[in-house]
């Protein structure tokens, strides 16, 4: 009974395969990738690598042939209408290849969200439901790594972590924990036709992040929250292209409005306690 992982050359896909290999033999795993050469490490592990491009329905269908399960990892494209078309190709390919189960990486609490990317994920969930293929919607939180990464070195050096997130809280989860959850649903029974909001049951604030940065690095860091427009200007001055600065400020805005504060036990039920913020900060800044 083989399972296909799409987007397998990406960070999340690679981690899912790492965790699947602890649970099933390599010859039960198929990596569907748009660039086969990029997947040589997966082939070395004994995983079958097949070409599949979300832009090309027939290639996706071929990459699904003979498999029973698919983990469909959402496209990273920044054009949301294009993502909807890519995702429809993947869903049609799964249906026409006779796939028996799809797990899809969506967006946490997507049905309550008003951000455009949530609409892409909801459109994809509904497309999957039109096929009657049993599914699990892995509604992922924002990745912790989006906020905790070497880019914070600037805040550590200056002593100031600047955002427009206010007191907003983040239910972020590491890619590795989300990958563990995906590997669990793919290899266990009983997750069919379920929606899981895979969020951190203990959301944290940027004040707390500043405090943990201080503890871990020994350099005092404080969080300063500013207005949306000021933040955009601050990020542009720091060297970010304007659209990226706008996107970052919009994410902090969503955080300040409570979009990312919602909690659920779904993740804990699948993998136990997720990695703590302090642990992620230690892994990032102490190696
Ligand atoms: N929750 C969050 O905070 C968050 C943040 C960013 C993204 N996401 C979403 O989560 C997904 C997985 O995250 P990630 O960190 O693993 O992203 P990633 O490292 O960028 O991986 C994306 C994967 O999608 C593949 N891909 C791109 N276009 C494709 C196409 N036309 N056909 C087939 N495959 C294609 C990429 O292939 P190549 O290796 O050939 O490029 C790569 O394997 C992203 O794609 C995005 O939808 C979530």
């Amino acid at each position: 009974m083989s399972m296909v992982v799409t987007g397998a050359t990406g960070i999340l896909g690679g981690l899912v395969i790492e965790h699947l290999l602890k649970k099933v033999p390599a010859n039960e795993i198929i990596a569907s990738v748009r660039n086969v050469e990029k997947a040589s490490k997966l082939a070395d592990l004994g995983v079958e690598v097949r070409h599949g491009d979300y832009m090309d329905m027939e290639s996706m269908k071929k990459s699904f042939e003979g498999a029973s399960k698919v983990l469909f990892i959402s496209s990273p494209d920044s054009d949301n209408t294009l993502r909807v078309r890519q995702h429809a190709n993947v869903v049609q390919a799964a249906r026409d290849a006779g796939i028996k189960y799809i797990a899809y990486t969506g967006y946490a609490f997507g049905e309550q969200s008003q951000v455009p990317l949530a609409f892409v994920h909801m459109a994809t969930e509904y497309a999957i439901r039109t096929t009657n293929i049993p599914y699990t919607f892995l509604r992922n939180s924002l990745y912790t790594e989006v906020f905790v990464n070497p880019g914070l070195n600037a805040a550590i050096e200056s002593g100031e972590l600047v955002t427009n997130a206010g007191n907003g809280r983040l239910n972020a989860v590491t890619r590795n924990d989300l990958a563990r959850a995906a590997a669990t649903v793919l290899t266990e029974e009983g997750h069919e036709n379920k929606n899981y909001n895979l969020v951190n049951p203990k959301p944290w604030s940027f004040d707390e992040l500043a405090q943990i940065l201080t503890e871990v690095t020994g350099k005092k860091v404080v969080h300063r929250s500013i207005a949306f427009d000021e933040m955009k200007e601050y990020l542009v001055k720091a060297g970010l292209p304007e659209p990226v600065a706008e996107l970052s400020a919009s994410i902090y805005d969503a955080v300040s409005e409570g979009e990312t504060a919602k909690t659920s036990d779904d993740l804990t039920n699948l993998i136990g306690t997720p990695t703590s913020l302090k642990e992620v900060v230690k892994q990032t800044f102490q190696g």
Side-chain angles (χ1 to χ4, degrees):
M1 196 169 72
S2 50
M3 53 188 82
V4 184
V5 177
T6 75
T9 47
I11 307 175
L12 182 68
L15 289 165
V16 172
I17 290 184
E18 211 177 291
H19 289 292
L20 282 177
L21 285 168
K22 295 175 196 158
K23 295 170 183 276
V24 297
N27 65 8
E28 288 185 17
I29 306 171
I30 298 165
S32 171
V33 301
R34 71 169 162 178
N35 182 346
V36 171
E37 280 160 30
K38 223 175 144 181
S40 58
K41 278 195 188 132
L42 294 174
D44 291 345
L45 293 169
V47 170
E48 185 185 346
V49 175
R50 295 182 181 173
H51 174 250
D53 190 324
Y54 295 165
M55 298 299 293
D56 173 5
M57 201 282 293
E58 284 300 329
S59 74
M60 290 311 300
K61 192 174 147 193
K62 274 199 190 130
S63 78
F64 292 161
E65 258 163 25
S68 56
K69 296 182 178 184
V70 167
L71 171 65
F72 170 16
I73 292 186
S74 54
S75 160
D77 209 285
S78 55
D79 179 331
N80 284 328
T81 60
L82 182 64
R83 279 172 103 194
V84 169
R85 277 179 279 145
Q86 291 177 331
H87 288 189
N89 280 337
V90 179
V91 175
Q92 185 183 347
R95 181 197 67 190
D96 294 353
I99 291 298
K100 303 283 182 277
Y101 169 80
I102 302 183
Y104 168 69
T105 61
Y107 180 60
F109 301 102
E111 77 282 32
Q112 299 165 28
S113 174
Q114 294 302 313
V115 299
L117 76 92
F119 302 145
V120 173
H121 290 297
M122 294 316 294
T124 309
E125 289 189 5
Y126 279 107
I128 291 169
R129 290 173 61 182
T130 67
T131 66
N132 284 325
I133 299 173
Y135 61 83
T136 306
F137 296 144
L138 301 165
R139 295 175 169 173
N140 288 346
S141 66
L142 293 175
Y143 301 146
T144 312
E145 293 90 336
V146 170
F147 306 95
V148 182
N149 58 52
L152 282 180
N153 272 315
I156 296 165
E157 287 311 312
S158 67
E160 210 173 50
L161 172 61
V162 183
T163 75
N164 53 304
N167 297 323
R169 302 184 80 77
L170 261 168
N171 52 17
V173 176
T174 62
R175 282 189 186 85
N176 190 49
D177 285 341
L178 294 169
R180 283 169 61 209
T184 301
V185 304
L186 281 167
T187 53
E188 271 184 2
E189 297 299 315
H191 301 293
E192 292 78 15
N193 302 334
K194 300 262 172 71
N195 306 320
Y196 293 136
N197 288 303
L198 301 179
V199 297
N200 194 323
K202 287 190 181 154
W204 47 267
S205 68
F206 282 91
D207 284 357
E208 284 164 28
L209 174 58
Q211 197 185 326
I212 290 173
L213 284 170
T214 304
E215 282 166 33
V216 171
T217 67
K219 294 186 178 165
K220 183 150 180 68
V221 181
V222 289
H223 174 225
R224 180 162 69 94
S225 187
I226 57 180
F228 178 90
D229 287 340
E230 261 184 286
M231 187 66 201
K232 230 176 87 180
E233 209 175 301
Y234 177 89
L235 292 172
V236 170
K237 271 194 195 142
L240 257 65
E242 190 159 342
V244 182
E246 169 115 24
L247 179 67
S248 298
S250 312
I251 293 174
Y252 290 134
D253 223 28
V255 174
S256 79
E257 285 166 11
E259 165 107 13
T260 56
K262 300 180 189 93
T263 57
S264 153
D265 290 331
D266 291 345
L267 181 67
T268 316
N269 290 340
L270 290 174
I271 66 160
T273 306
T275 312
S276 70
L277 179 61
K278 188 162 187 176
E279 194 49 45
V280 184
V281 171
K282 278 187 183 167
Q283 285 165 7
T284 310
F285 296 102
Q286 293 180 343

